[in-house]
Amino acid sequence: MDNFTDSFAKLIDVEKGLSLDPNDRGNWTSGKIGVGTLRGTKYGVSAASYPTLDIANLTLDDAQAIYRRDYWNKVQADRFAASIAFQLFDAAVNSGIYAASILLQKAAGALADGVIGNQTVAAVTALPAPVVAARFNAYRLLDMTDMTGWPVYSRGWAKRIANNLLAGVA
């Protein structure tokens, strides 16, 4: 398997089925709870990110194409070791491209401007991949504790990070 295929398989193991939780802003077409249409999230593809997409009828192949085009390629995951690429990809899907890029830059000690370019790649590749992956997840978890959804979703988010740490050493 290539890095994307392997990372997508790990992600889909977490991002399963259709969720119509009305308290999750990602399930609303506006990205705001109670505003717009409750279309949900399927395979992690949310109505907030894709407000015109028929989420309920999304296929796994559709999701895979979206993930490669709109997340994997945009964070340039192919430029990193597999363990880092997966962490970066998962965070991009879960928190957005900009937030994931900032986390990677913090983990590598690079300028945290949200743009992954040659300087970020050089900073990341100058460090051992396990160090970057561990720091990345530490910063990610710290950021999550400041989110307004932490009191409700903390258990699931913390489990996700723990599983990602385990996946990064597998």
Side-chain angles (χ1 to χ4, degrees):
M1 275 195 254
D2 65 60
N3 283 345
F4 172 75
T5 303
D6 185 49
S7 292
F8 179 74
K10 289 176 187 173
L11 180 81
I12 288 303
D13 193 42
V14 174
E15 298 287 1
K16 299 175 183 175
L18 179 65
S19 168
L20 293 169
D21 178 356
N23 296 312
D24 183 342
R25 66 181 184 83
N27 291 339
W28 293 89
T29 55
S30 69
K32 296 177 183 171
I33 294 171
V35 179
T37 305
L38 179 66
R39 288 210 176 122
T41 299
K42 187 173 182 185
Y43 303 125
V45 176
S46 72
S49 295
Y50 298 90
T52 61
L53 192 63
D54 181 0
I55 300 291
N57 291 310
L58 187 73
T59 68
L60 192 56
D61 287 340
D62 295 335
Q64 187 170 20
I66 288 168
Y67 280 134
R68 185 182 290 274
R69 180 191 71 224
D70 295 347
Y71 297 92
W72 185 266
N73 290 344
K74 288 189 178 176
V75 295
Q76 302 179 50
D78 280 328
R79 296 181 76 179
F80 304 106
S83 60
I84 295 169
F86 170 68
Q87 307 299 336
L88 179 62
F89 173 57
D90 183 69
V93 168
N94 198 234
S95 302
I97 302 297
Y98 180 79
S101 299
I102 292 286
L103 291 170
L104 180 66
Q105 291 166 329
K106 285 180 178 180
L111 173 67
D113 63 1
V115 178
I116 296 176
N118 291 335
Q119 290 179 331
T120 300
V121 173
V124 170
T125 56
L127 297 170
V131 169
V132 175
R135 287 180 183 170
F136 183 92
N137 279 300
Y139 283 119
R140 187 174 178 194
L141 190 56
L142 285 169
D143 284 357
M144 286 178 168
T145 64
D146 290 333
M147 293 179 178
T148 57
W150 182 256
V152 175
Y153 300 109
S154 57
R155 182 181 172 106
W157 293 347
K159 280 181 147 183
R160 185 178 191 134
I161 299 302
N163 284 323
N164 285 1
L165 286 164
L166 291 170
V169 296

